[in-house]
């Protein structure tokens, strides 16, 4: 009887410890430190001004494409996820145009802008980050997930925000982060797979875009005014241009990058 009583007490203690430690939580966050405080409550997006315009342009590129083939043999799972060769895609150049350039309004804006309610997503799929380059607003939620059946860790290397390094050992794990300071560009890498890199432009306004594979970009709903537009590439650096947006008009801002 005494042995049964001690067994019952031990089971009750174990159950209490499990609940206190959050053992019933199946969330995906593992390890690491917090990137920042919780995101502020998201507000509805501000309606564009009745006479809003915008800016659009094309990113030209002159130079070599020095991308090389990624050797994924160190992780057989990664290697098995691709039937064809995969390159580093550091320079997404095609027909003299350049993709994956982050373009944003660097100066000239006034006022504050609500934090978007929708989250952005950074996915690890095929042992690559998707997207390679993207933008997010200060305080906006970023969901980082692992779609691969292998271990990844997400190591953020900011200069102004808080560094974090969190592992995701299982498929379909995810966690959320926010950033509380503007920073262009903030680098993510995977310490397990050194070829994995992604870059985010953290800005305090919604006026940004990323050039597509044809080098084109558009930033809509920009109030009339004079602005400095910046185009930033992860390895080729930054170029800026002063523009003026007239009421209900779209200004042009074409940039030209060359190999350093």
């Amino acid at each position: 009887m005494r042995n049964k009583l001690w067994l019952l007490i031990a089971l009750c203690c174990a159950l209490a410890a499990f609940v206190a430690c959050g053992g019933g939580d199946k969330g995906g966050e593992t390890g690491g430190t917090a990137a920042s405080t919780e995101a502020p409550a998201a507000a509805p997006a501000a309606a564009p001004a009745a006479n809003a315009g915008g800016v659009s342009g094309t990113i030209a590129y002159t130079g070599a494409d020095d991308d090389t083939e990624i050797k994924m043999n160190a992780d057989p799972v990664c290697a098995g996820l691709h039937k064809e060769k995969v390159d580093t895609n550091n320079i997404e150049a095609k027909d003299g145009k350049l993709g994956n350039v982050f373009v944003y309004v660097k100066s000239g804006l006034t006022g504050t802008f609500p934090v978007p309610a929708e989250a952005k997503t950074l996915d690890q799929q095929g042992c690559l980050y998707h997207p390679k380059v993207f933008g997010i607003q200060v305080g906006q939620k970023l969901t980082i997930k692992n779609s691969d059946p292998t271990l990844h860790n997400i190591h953020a290397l900011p200069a102004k925000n808080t560094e974090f390094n969190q592992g995701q050992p299982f498929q379909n794990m995810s966690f959320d982060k926010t950033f509380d300071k503007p920073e262009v560009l903030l680098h993510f890498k995977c310490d397990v797979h050194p070829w994995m890199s992604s870059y985010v432009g953290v800005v305090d306004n919604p006026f940004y875009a990323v050039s597509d594979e044809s080098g084109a970009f558009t930033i809509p709903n920009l109030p009339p005014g004079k602005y400095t537009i910046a185009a930033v590439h992860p390895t080729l650096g930054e170029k800026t241009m002063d523009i003026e947006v007239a009421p209900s008009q779209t200004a042009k801002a074409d940039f030209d990058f060359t190999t350093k």
Side-chain angles (χ1 to χ4, degrees):
M1 176 66 71
R2 180 174 297 178
N3 290 339
K4 290 183 179 180
L5 179 60
W6 280 111
L7 178 60
L8 179 61
I9 293 172
L11 287 173
C12 290
C13 292
L15 177 61
F18 180 80
V19 173
C21 293
D25 183 6
K26 295 181 183 294
E29 185 163 354
T30 61
T33 56
S36 67
T37 57
E38 290 293 324
N51 61 348
V55 57
S56 66
T58 303
I59 313 295
Y61 177 70
T62 304
D65 183 347
D66 59 1
D67 289 327
T68 58
E69 181 185 353
I70 297 172
K71 303 294 185 181
M72 297 188 181
N73 296 336
D75 188 334
V77 174
C78 294
L81 293 172
H82 297 275
K83 295 181 179 179
E84 299 179 353
K85 294 179 180 180
V86 180
D87 70 26
T88 51
N89 198 31
N90 294 326
I91 303 291
E92 188 178 352
K94 182 180 179 180
D95 299 328
K97 307 300 181 185
L98 186 63
N100 280 336
V101 178
F102 183 73
V103 186
Y104 73 109
V105 178
K106 187 170 185 177
S107 65
L109 289 166
T110 58
T112 58
F113 303 92
V115 177
E118 69 277 7
K120 291 295 184 78
T121 299
L122 178 61
D123 194 7
Q124 295 152 109
Q125 189 174 29
C127 294
L128 299 169
Y129 281 119
H130 300 275
K132 178 83 170 183
V133 178
F134 66 104
I136 197 169
Q137 207 165 320
V138 170
Q140 185 176 7
K141 184 167 70 174
L142 174 64
T143 297
I144 303 173
K145 66 179 185 178
N146 180 10
S147 293
D148 290 331
T150 191
L151 165 68
H152 289 301
N153 80 291
I154 302 86
H155 192 174
L157 298 167
K160 299 179 181 179
N161 288 276
T162 302
E163 181 178 358
F164 65 88
N165 188 357
Q166 292 190 216
Q168 290 182 328
F170 304 114
Q171 191 173 28
N172 297 323
M173 296 185 77
S174 68
F175 61 83
D176 297 329
K177 294 292 183 183
T178 60
F179 301 101
D180 56 12
K181 299 179 182 67
E183 184 169 349
V184 181
L185 293 165
L186 189 157
H187 182 203
F188 297 96
K189 71 171 185 174
C190 176
D191 295 327
V192 181
H193 307 106
W195 62 81
M196 292 178 62
S197 280
S198 180
Y199 300 85
V200 60
V202 184
V203 292
D204 58 6
N205 65 79
F207 303 111
Y208 63 83
V210 177
S211 63
D212 61 22
E213 62 180 8
S214 68
F217 71 90
T218 298
I219 301 175
N221 302 324
L222 192 55
K226 295 182 178 180
Y227 303 101
T228 297
I229 306 296
V232 187
H233 186 272
T235 61
L236 300 175
E238 177 184 279
K239 293 183 178 293
T240 60
M241 180 182 300
D242 293 330
I243 64 163
E244 182 171 1
V245 176
S248 302
Q249 300 296 314
T250 298
K252 291 290 291 180
D254 294 328
F255 295 90
D256 191 353
F257 281 79
T258 57
T259 303
K260 283 188 176 180

